[in-house]
Amino acid sequence: MSGPEGAPTEFWALLGAEERAGLRAAGTVRRWARREILFHEGAVSDLVLVVLSGRIKVSSHTAGGTEAVLAVRGPGTLVGELGVIDGGPRSATVQALDDLTGLTLAPDRFEAYLERWPRVSLLLLRTVASRLRDADRKRVEFGALDAGRRVASRLVELAEKFGRTTGGEVRLDLPVSQDELASWTGVSRAAVNKALSVLRTRGWISTGRMSITLHDVPALRAYAEDA
């Protein structure tokens, strides 16, 4: 079984070859269909998961029952570690956005793995810290940026994680719907549609069915960062 590619800051990418082999030996490979729920917010934390292939959506629900998308993640991501750390229930719902393959470990096996490979505990801490920084950055965005700049920021983030570069352009096969993109940016679907229209008019993107091509990523990034 080959490992996931993973972004440089994702858990799997931080592991050495022997640490990866040890994790494989301790775990079991499972598969989920597209849009299947891996686990629900508030449920008992009964497994830790490393995404091997596919993408996931991490979300929570407000008191009014609406969904708040927290993150979209891909191969190499570690999921469910907080329940092992603090013994609490799931802090979010995780759903497969594609057909998904993951390496799963029961909490006791994951704890035994960390005891066997103590350096990984530091890497786990680094992963959690990276997510906290990302959450803090998004909270600042929500207070400082308008809807158009938030949408541009999310498109750049998705392109960096999942985009395919061809001839200086980046094609993004969208793993999320416009409703989910609206939830992720904290705006309405109408505001997302308006933002995409503005970005198209400026020549920075073009849109297709479940795909967006980014023609000028530096311009999008500069626009997103211009508060």
Side-chain angles (χ1 to χ4, degrees):
M1 177 184 63
S2 60
E5 291 289 338
T9 56
E10 293 292 6
F11 178 74
W12 184 267
L14 299 174
L15 300 180
E18 291 186 353
E19 292 162 341
R20 291 179 182 178
L23 193 61
R24 290 192 191 101
T28 302
V29 174
R30 286 182 56 180
R31 293 174 174 80
W32 291 264
R34 180 178 181 272
R35 291 294 173 178
E36 188 174 352
I37 300 295
L38 279 65
F39 42 77
H40 292 272
E41 181 179 5
V44 175
S45 299
D46 59 350
L47 64 83
V48 180
L49 164 73
V50 177
V51 177
L52 298 178
S53 66
R55 296 168 290 190
I56 59 172
K57 176 183 71 175
V58 183
S59 64
S60 185
H61 284 81
T62 68
T66 58
E67 181 185 52
V69 177
L70 304 177
V72 175
R73 298 182 181 136
T77 296
L78 178 69
V79 186
E81 75 283 357
L82 291 183
V84 173
I85 294 172
D86 66 7
R90 299 294 188 193
S91 59
T93 295
V94 175
Q95 182 181 32
L97 292 174
D98 312 291
D99 290 340
L100 190 85
T101 303
L103 181 67
T104 66
L105 292 83
D108 59 338
R109 292 185 68 84
F110 187 64
E111 289 178 352
Y113 169 75
L114 293 178
E115 291 174 359
R116 173 69 178 82
W117 303 95
R119 190 186 80 98
V120 178
S121 294
L122 177 60
L123 303 180
L124 177 61
L125 181 61
R126 188 178 301 173
T127 300
V128 173
S130 176
R131 291 178 185 172
L132 288 174
R133 288 180 183 275
D134 181 65
D136 287 343
R137 179 177 59 82
K138 286 185 171 64
R139 279 194 289 270
V140 171
E141 283 184 3
F142 281 15
L145 302 183
D146 59 27
R149 286 174 170 79
R150 292 189 213 173
V151 170
S153 181
R154 294 291 76 73
L155 291 180
V156 170
E157 179 179 346
L158 287 170
E160 289 174 343
K161 289 181 177 179
F162 309 120
R164 293 185 286 113
T165 302
T166 304
E169 298 181 336
V170 180
R171 178 182 170 88
L172 177 62
D173 295 319
L174 282 181
V176 295
S177 67
Q178 287 197 7
D179 285 333
E180 289 168 328
L181 183 58
S183 172
W184 196 14
T185 53
V187 300
S188 67
R189 178 170 179 171
V192 168
N193 289 335
K194 181 179 179 180
L196 293 176
S197 177
V198 169
L199 298 179
R200 282 195 300 266
T201 299
R202 296 189 180 194
W204 295 342
I205 69 170
S206 57
T207 56
R209 188 176 184 278
M210 297 302 291
S211 70
I212 295 180
T213 300
L214 280 60
H215 303 296
D216 194 336
V217 174
L220 282 168
R221 183 180 290 108
Y223 175 66
E225 293 173 353
D226 181 13

